[in-house]
Short mmCIF file of all heavy atoms in Angstrom, two decimals:
data_model
loop_
_atom_site.label_atom_id
_atom_site.label_comp_id
_atom_site.label_asym_id
_atom_site.label_seq_id
_atom_site.Cartn_x
_atom_site.Cartn_y
_atom_site.Cartn_z
N GLU A 40 0.77 13.34 -51.02
CA GLU A 40 0.04 14.03 -52.14
C GLU A 40 -1.23 13.48 -52.17
O GLU A 40 -1.53 12.23 -52.18
CB GLU A 40 0.80 13.75 -53.35
CG GLU A 40 2.24 14.28 -53.49
CD GLU A 40 2.23 15.84 -53.22
OE1 GLU A 40 1.29 16.49 -53.86
OE2 GLU A 40 3.12 16.25 -52.37
N ASN A 41 -2.28 14.30 -52.09
CA ASN A 41 -3.65 13.95 -52.02
C ASN A 41 -4.49 14.88 -52.80
O ASN A 41 -4.55 16.10 -52.48
CB ASN A 41 -4.23 13.69 -50.70
CG ASN A 41 -5.54 13.12 -50.62
OD1 ASN A 41 -5.84 12.00 -51.32
ND2 ASN A 41 -6.46 13.74 -49.81
N ASP A 42 -5.20 14.51 -53.87
CA ASP A 42 -6.07 15.38 -54.55
C ASP A 42 -5.35 16.66 -55.07
O ASP A 42 -5.96 17.72 -55.01
CB ASP A 42 -7.39 15.69 -53.66
CG ASP A 42 -8.27 14.56 -53.38
OD1 ASP A 42 -8.18 13.62 -54.15
OD2 ASP A 42 -8.98 14.57 -52.36
N GLY A 43 -4.20 16.51 -55.52
CA GLY A 43 -3.48 17.57 -56.11
C GLY A 43 -2.93 18.52 -55.07
O GLY A 43 -2.39 19.64 -55.36
N ARG A 44 -2.95 18.12 -53.74
CA ARG A 44 -2.42 19.00 -52.69
C ARG A 44 -1.36 18.28 -51.97
O ARG A 44 -1.36 17.01 -51.88
CB ARG A 44 -3.45 19.43 -51.69
CG ARG A 44 -4.61 20.35 -52.34
CD ARG A 44 -5.84 20.36 -51.40
NE ARG A 44 -5.49 20.36 -49.97
CZ ARG A 44 -5.76 19.32 -49.19
NH1 ARG A 44 -6.45 18.32 -49.60
NH2 ARG A 44 -5.52 19.41 -47.86
N THR A 45 -0.52 19.03 -51.27
CA THR A 45 0.41 18.36 -50.35
C THR A 45 -0.16 18.37 -48.89
O THR A 45 -0.51 19.50 -48.41
CB THR A 45 1.84 18.99 -50.36
OG1 THR A 45 2.39 18.98 -51.59
CG2 THR A 45 2.75 18.48 -49.27
N LEU A 46 -0.39 17.23 -48.37
CA LEU A 46 -0.84 17.23 -46.99
C LEU A 46 0.31 16.99 -46.05
O LEU A 46 0.98 15.89 -46.06
CB LEU A 46 -1.91 16.00 -46.90
CG LEU A 46 -2.41 15.65 -45.51
CD1 LEU A 46 -3.33 16.77 -45.04
CD2 LEU A 46 -3.22 14.33 -45.58
N TYR A 47 0.51 17.86 -45.10
CA TYR A 47 1.52 17.76 -44.20
C TYR A 47 1.04 17.01 -42.84
O TYR A 47 -0.03 17.17 -42.36
CB TYR A 47 2.05 19.16 -43.77
CG TYR A 47 2.72 19.76 -44.80
CD1 TYR A 47 2.02 20.78 -45.63
CD2 TYR A 47 4.14 19.55 -45.13
CE1 TYR A 47 2.66 21.40 -46.66
CE2 TYR A 47 4.68 20.27 -46.22
CZ TYR A 47 3.93 21.21 -46.94
OH TYR A 47 4.67 21.86 -47.97
N ASN A 48 1.91 16.06 -42.49
CA ASN A 48 1.56 15.23 -41.23
C ASN A 48 2.84 15.33 -40.20
O ASN A 48 3.96 15.07 -40.65
CB ASN A 48 1.38 13.79 -41.68
CG ASN A 48 0.27 13.65 -42.58
OD1 ASN A 48 -0.78 13.36 -42.22
ND2 ASN A 48 0.57 13.80 -43.93
N PHE A 49 2.55 15.64 -39.06
CA PHE A 49 3.51 15.60 -37.95
C PHE A 49 3.53 14.23 -37.27
O PHE A 49 2.53 13.79 -36.90
CB PHE A 49 3.22 16.61 -36.85
CG PHE A 49 4.26 16.75 -35.82
CD1 PHE A 49 5.42 17.29 -35.97
CD2 PHE A 49 3.81 16.43 -34.57
CE1 PHE A 49 6.33 17.40 -35.01
CE2 PHE A 49 4.79 16.48 -33.49
CZ PHE A 49 6.10 16.97 -33.71
N VAL A 50 4.76 13.55 -37.50
CA VAL A 50 4.82 12.19 -37.03
C VAL A 50 5.76 12.01 -35.93
O VAL A 50 6.96 12.54 -35.93
CB VAL A 50 5.23 11.26 -38.24
CG1 VAL A 50 5.25 9.85 -37.80
CG2 VAL A 50 4.19 11.42 -39.32
N VAL A 51 5.51 11.32 -34.85
CA VAL A 51 6.36 11.15 -33.72
C VAL A 51 6.42 9.62 -33.41
O VAL A 51 5.49 8.85 -33.47
CB VAL A 51 5.81 11.86 -32.39
CG1 VAL A 51 6.86 11.72 -31.28
CG2 VAL A 51 5.33 13.22 -32.74
N TYR A 52 7.71 9.23 -33.22
CA TYR A 52 7.97 7.74 -32.98
C TYR A 52 8.37 7.53 -31.48
O TYR A 52 9.11 8.33 -30.94
CB TYR A 52 9.08 7.29 -33.90
CG TYR A 52 8.82 7.02 -35.24
CD1 TYR A 52 8.91 8.12 -36.20
CD2 TYR A 52 8.34 5.80 -35.65
CE1 TYR A 52 8.47 7.96 -37.51
CE2 TYR A 52 7.99 5.51 -37.08
CZ TYR A 52 8.07 6.55 -37.94
OH TYR A 52 7.80 6.40 -39.30
N PRO A 53 7.82 6.46 -30.94
CA PRO A 53 8.16 6.10 -29.53
C PRO A 53 9.56 5.42 -29.57
O PRO A 53 10.06 4.92 -30.58
CB PRO A 53 7.01 5.12 -29.21
CG PRO A 53 6.78 4.45 -30.50
CD PRO A 53 6.95 5.46 -31.53
N GLU A 54 10.17 5.49 -28.37
CA GLU A 54 11.49 4.78 -28.11
C GLU A 54 11.14 3.34 -27.71
O GLU A 54 11.12 3.10 -26.41
CB GLU A 54 12.29 5.52 -27.18
CG GLU A 54 12.70 6.87 -27.71
CD GLU A 54 13.63 7.73 -26.83
OE1 GLU A 54 13.38 7.67 -25.55
OE2 GLU A 54 14.55 8.41 -27.36
N VAL A 55 10.84 2.44 -28.63
CA VAL A 55 10.52 1.04 -28.18
C VAL A 55 11.26 0.17 -29.12
O VAL A 55 11.71 0.52 -30.24
CB VAL A 55 8.87 0.88 -28.29
CG1 VAL A 55 8.20 1.53 -27.31
CG2 VAL A 55 8.44 1.21 -29.83
N SER A 56 11.33 -1.06 -28.72
CA SER A 56 12.04 -2.08 -29.51
C SER A 56 11.15 -2.96 -30.45
O SER A 56 11.72 -3.62 -31.32
CB SER A 56 12.74 -3.06 -28.47
OG SER A 56 11.82 -3.77 -27.62
N GLN A 57 9.77 -2.85 -30.24
CA GLN A 57 8.99 -3.66 -31.07
C GLN A 57 8.03 -2.81 -31.98
O GLN A 57 7.84 -1.48 -31.64
CB GLN A 57 8.17 -4.58 -30.21
CG GLN A 57 9.06 -5.59 -29.45
CD GLN A 57 8.19 -6.65 -28.67
OE1 GLN A 57 6.99 -6.46 -28.58
NE2 GLN A 57 8.87 -7.77 -28.19
N LYS A 58 7.42 -3.32 -32.93
CA LYS A 58 6.45 -2.52 -33.64
C LYS A 58 5.22 -2.00 -32.76
O LYS A 58 4.84 -2.66 -31.86
CB LYS A 58 5.92 -3.49 -34.83
CG LYS A 58 6.91 -3.75 -35.81
CD LYS A 58 6.31 -4.41 -37.15
CE LYS A 58 7.37 -4.71 -38.17
NZ LYS A 58 6.78 -5.30 -39.34
N ALA A 59 4.74 -0.87 -33.22
CA ALA A 59 3.81 -0.22 -32.25
C ALA A 59 2.51 0.16 -32.96
O ALA A 59 2.44 0.31 -34.25
CB ALA A 59 4.44 1.07 -31.71
N LYS A 60 1.45 0.22 -32.30
CA LYS A 60 0.18 0.69 -32.71
C LYS A 60 0.27 2.08 -33.15
O LYS A 60 1.01 2.97 -32.53
CB LYS A 60 -0.82 0.58 -31.55
CG LYS A 60 -2.28 0.79 -31.98
CD LYS A 60 -3.22 0.45 -30.85
CE LYS A 60 -4.68 0.55 -31.20
NZ LYS A 60 -5.53 0.12 -30.07
#
Side-chain angles (χ1 to χ4, degrees):
E40 296 303 315
N41 187 49
D42 293 337
R44 297 167 31 251
T45 297
L46 174 67
Y47 292 97
N48 299 264
F49 182 68
V50 180
V51 190
Y52 284 88
E54 296 183 321
V55 294
S56 59
Q57 298 182 352
K58 293 186 176 184
K60 187 174 187 176

